Amino acid sequence: MKYYIFAIFLTIGLLFCGDVHAKKHIEDDFERNRIVFNGWITYDTYSGEVGYHYMLSNYIGVGGTLGYWRTFLSGGRASGKGWWVDEEDNDPSSLCLRPSVIIKSPKLNIFSLYAEPGIMMSIPYQKVDVELIDHFPNNEYKRVSTNKGQWLALDLRLGISADFDSFGITIGYLMSNLDTFSMFRHMSYDGVSFKNFYDKTSFRQGAFISASFAF
């Protein structure tokens, strides 16, 4: 919780600085359209995103991205007597729509502080194939699916941005409450719940990089 409180106050501070600076300098010639390509990674999940933001000023923009995240380190695998979750389905993934707000501080040379709070909206559905290994070599599969669990998450990205004319690059720190195994824990097969096979993650942190083109 203390991380979120610190991030909220930092974001408010950046917003205040940008707003004060914008009022002192009326700018009508800046490029308002911003195409962005993002990538981020945590200890067990990676994502790629593409999106658009409309810049209300040099310091504030609104828009969003469409992306895809995937977990590459499950740490467990649901199984029971004569079955287990198919290995290819054991790492959850989803498309994700992420509305967000960009907040930048006034520049120091080419650099500025950067904050981007957003809401991650994944597809509210997950499915896996359960492999019936008792039937080897002709194994059968059963489909298990759910629409229960977390599909909405908050995240915040804080970093340093460098702008070179119409091109910009940003790197920094990401934190989120995205729980990638939330829906898996709501599944069960043959009376066995998947809940005990997949850990709960209430706080996720990692790094992100972003390339943007303004026009």
Side-chain angles (χ1 to χ4, degrees):
M1 181 61 69
K2 63 181 180 180
Y3 299 101
Y4 286 105
I5 293 173
F6 169 77
I8 289 170
F9 277 105
L10 180 58
T11 302
I12 293 172
L14 284 173
L15 180 59
F16 176 76
C17 291
D19 185 59
V20 169
H21 195 272
K23 288 178 179 178
K24 290 182 179 179
H25 299 81
I26 299 174
E27 302 175 59
D28 297 322
D29 58 347
F30 64 91
E31 296 168 314
R32 293 183 177 273
N33 302 288
R34 185 175 183 269
I35 302 296
V36 63
F37 300 91
N38 297 332
W40 59 261
I41 189 168
T42 69
Y43 75 96
D44 67 348
T45 303
Y46 66 87
S47 175
E49 303 169 345
V50 59
Y52 168 84
H53 287 85
Y54 180 79
M55 301 304 294
L56 302 174
S57 72
N58 277 330
Y59 314 105
I60 302 173
V62 294
T65 58
L66 178 64
Y68 172 83
W69 60 259
R70 182 176 181 85
T71 294
F72 57 84
L73 185 64
S74 62
R77 186 177 182 184
S79 61
K81 185 177 180 180
W83 65 270
W84 57 28
V85 170
D86 185 55
E87 185 175 6
E88 294 184 1
D89 289 345
N90 199 49
D91 298 327
S93 62
S94 179
L95 292 173
C96 183
L97 180 65
R98 181 181 178 269
S100 64
V101 177
I102 290 174
I103 304 166
K104 300 176 71 174
S105 71
K107 289 183 182 179
L108 178 61
N109 197 355
I110 63 171
F111 298 101
S112 58
L113 297 178
Y114 180 95
E116 186 183 346
I119 301 174
M120 302 178 66
M121 298 185 291
S122 302
I123 296 175
Y125 176 79
Q126 285 279 0
K127 63 179 178 64
V128 299
D129 284 334
V130 171
E131 184 178 3
L132 306 182
I133 55 180
D134 277 354
H135 297 175
F136 183 84
N138 300 312
N139 291 347
E140 296 182 9
Y141 295 85
K142 297 291 184 180
R143 176 67 51 83
V144 178
S145 63
T146 185
N147 59 5
K148 297 179 180 179
Q150 185 203 56
W151 62 274
L152 188 69
L154 302 177
D155 82 336
L156 178 62
R157 303 172 189 187
L158 302 171
I160 298 176
S161 182
D163 295 306
F164 309 91
D165 294 327
S166 296
F167 173 74
I169 188 167
T170 305
I171 58 174
Y173 167 75
L174 171 145
M175 59 180 165
S176 171
N177 66 345
L178 175 66
D179 184 355
T180 58
F181 289 100
S182 175
M183 290 194 175
F184 273 36
R185 293 195 303 273
H186 284 80
M187 297 182 190
S188 63
Y189 180 77
D190 196 27
V192 177
S193 172
F194 292 6
K195 183 176 182 179
N196 295 327
F197 294 92
Y198 304 103
D199 294 334
K200 180 178 180 180
T201 302
S202 57
F203 180 73
R204 186 178 300 276
Q205 55 186 331
F208 77 94
I209 185 170
S210 173
S212 63
F213 301 90
F215 61 96

